[in-house]
Amino acid sequence: MAAAVALARPLRRLPCYPSRRHAVSTPLHFFARGRCDLALAVAPAAVGDSSAKGSVHRHVIEEVVDILDMAQMASQRRDVFHTSFLTPPIIKEAMLAIEKLADIKAVAQGGYPQAERCRISVGHPDSMRSNPDVVAALSISGNFRLEPCSHGDFLGAILGAGITREKVGDILLQGERGAQVIVDPELVDYLTSTLEKVGKVGISCTQIPLLAIEYEPPRTKSSKTVESSLRVDAVASAGFKISRTKLGSMMSSGDVRVNWSVVTKSGATLKAGDVVSVSGLGRLKIGEIETTKRGKYVVQLIQYL
């Protein structure tokens, strides 16, 4: 039992190198004094264009530099290291940065094709002949017909068992049946023996194969808008069909995110590939952007239903 509890706690930031093939929690503070020059040079270059527009936050760049440090160490030692679960913007920028490094292979895995939260495995190509086994799936089942539970309820139950957020991937709701949850494999035994309730509902928690994960490809609806600028308030208000004043108020309340980071300034600009999410309204992706002869922007909007 003591060992299981230890696994549920965050990894300690020890002043030593990670052990062979073990997960490494980012940020990697024990690399701070010896951070490699290559990582410091590659990360800002990889995210430079987007960071200049304010769409890549400082904490994302710092996380990417930490992951590059880990990649360099893995390559030098011809070993394989793994991050904890990362958010989409960190995954995107880290994979772009790692592409610029020689003799390093990287694989992002979240358990199923559309996974948002993933773990990145990095190492020398000779050490990564196949994808590492770094994610596991749990089925949390119970009678949720009379007591429906939200994503936050399931996450809260897991965190309440002493698990840190970085050890948990996506949570796929299954209505009155419960949910499927992606986790660090080291926590499977602990959670299946410890988790007993979600909200007021008694549950059973069992491991399932990754192939048993039930997910649906996202349904989308495309549209176009013509705007005089690419400001968040202009484009997003058109996409969600609300007034710019209403969206501005929601931004001030912290209810608007761009690439999973809160945005409070309406003057921030968007680019193709950015994802805008608004609490209670959903999410949309910015598609192709064309400029008319009159200087207007024709923006393709892809809304997730």
Side-chain angles (χ1 to χ4, degrees), residues 19-287:
S19 57
R20 184 172 179 81
R21 302 184 191 280
H22 278 193
V24 179
S25 279
T26 54
L28 308 178
H29 298 301
F30 49 80
F31 282 126
R33 294 183 182 178
R35 180 167 286 175
C36 68
D37 293 337
L38 182 57
L40 290 171
V42 170
V47 300
D49 292 341
S50 51
S51 62
K53 297 180 180 179
S55 59
V56 177
H57 285 227
R58 181 178 180 82
H59 80 90
V60 173
I61 298 176
E62 292 175 348
E63 292 264 17
V64 171
V65 171
D66 288 335
I67 294 170
L68 293 179
D69 279 330
M70 182 175 68
Q72 284 291 104
M73 184 60 60
S75 179
Q76 292 169 6
R77 297 177 61 177
R78 292 183 176 267
D79 206 339
V80 180
F81 298 147
H82 317 292
T83 69
S84 295
F85 285 97
L86 306 170
T87 58
I90 296 174
I91 297 166
K92 173 186 173 183
E93 302 298 346
M95 296 299 284
L96 287 174
I98 291 172
E99 287 179 359
K100 299 179 181 296
L101 302 181
D103 296 325
I104 294 177
K105 180 179 178 181
V107 177
Q109 299 182 85
Y112 65 105
Q114 278 80 38
E116 291 188 354
R117 293 175 61 84
C118 295
R119 301 181 69 183
I120 294 179
S121 301
V122 292
H124 192 280
D126 293 343
S127 304
M128 291 183 64
R129 301 287 186 183
S130 60
N131 291 345
D133 183 16
V134 295
V135 297
L138 299 176
S139 174
I140 300 178
S141 57
N143 185 3
F144 293 92
R145 184 170 62 87
L146 299 179
E147 292 284 346
C149 287
S150 66
H151 180 283
D153 293 323
F154 285 94
L155 179 59
I158 294 171
L159 300 185
I163 308 301
T164 58
R165 185 65 179 99
E166 62 191 11
K167 294 295 184 181
V168 184
D170 288 358
I171 297 175
L172 305 174
L173 299 180
Q174 296 183 297
E176 63 184 43
R177 291 183 295 155
Q180 294 178 335
V181 185
I182 313 300
V183 298
D184 185 324
E186 291 182 334
L187 299 180
V188 169
D189 290 343
Y190 176 72
L191 285 173
T192 53
S193 62
T194 303
L195 210 58
E196 297 179 345
K197 281 188 175 183
V198 173
K200 298 179 181 179
V201 180
I203 59 95
S204 64
C205 181
T206 57
Q207 183 177 11
I208 59 174
L210 294 179
L211 291 176
I213 296 174
E214 298 177 11
Y215 67 92
E216 296 181 2
R219 294 183 299 116
T220 61
K221 179 178 67 175
S222 296
S223 62
K224 288 186 177 181
T225 182
V226 180
E227 303 294 337
S228 58
S229 78
L230 295 176
R231 287 167 47 124
V232 174
D233 58 346
V235 178
S237 61
F240 291 109
K241 294 179 172 54
I242 60 175
S243 68
R244 291 176 68 166
T245 301
K246 173 66 174 177
L247 187 70
S249 176
M250 298 184 76
M251 293 181 73
S252 299
S253 302
D255 293 327
V256 178
R257 295 174 181 267
V258 175
N259 298 330
W260 290 267
S261 296
V262 174
V263 175
T264 56
K265 296 181 179 179
S266 59
T269 58
L270 298 172
K271 67 181 186 307
D274 283 346
V275 176
V276 182
S277 55
V278 178
S279 298
L281 297 180
R283 181 187 308 166
L284 63 85
K285 183 177 182 178
I286 308 302

